Amino acid sequence: MSWSVWTEEIPAQTVLDMPADLRRKTANFLRALAIEVAGALDLGRRPPGDPMDDIAVRYSLEVPGEPVIIEYMIMRDAKEIRVPVLVWFH
């Protein structure tokens, strides 16, 4: 089973409100993030981003070159990345 990305309602609406090019870049980044997180965990490495807790579940990172910050949670049992916070600086 491959990993998936799920966003809360407010982050999803934020992405939908972005200009088309930024929306596409952000969606592609989230898809790639799921692949990168899965690969890191499979290799026993730390997932991308800055840890936000002591239990290796919540991380924060920027979309490179874009005014977007994402906080994500790793749901190992569900093989899912959940995005409760996405900030677009516009």
Side-chain angles (χ1 to χ4, degrees), residues 11-48:
Q13 187 60 54
T14 301
V15 173
L16 291 173
D17 291 342
M18 293 175 175
D21 187 52
L22 181 57
R23 181 174 53 239
R24 186 175 43 259
K25 288 177 183 176
T26 301
N28 288 340
F29 179 84
L30 291 171
R31 289 182 197 109
L33 178 62
I35 294 166
E36 192 172 345
V37 167
L41 295 177
D42 286 347
L43 296 172
R45 296 185 180 157
R46 194 181 93 187

Side-chain angles (χ1 to χ4, degrees), residues 4 8 13 23 36 38-41 43 49 51-52 61 63 65 67 69 71 74-75 81 86 89-90:
S4 61
E8 299 279 343
Q13 187 60 54
R23 181 174 53 239
E36 192 172 345
L41 295 177
L43 296 172
M52 298 181 69
L61 73 161
V63 175
I69 296 176
E71 292 181 15
I74 299 171
M75 312 307 287
I81 306 301
L86 187 145
F89 296 97
H90 60 98

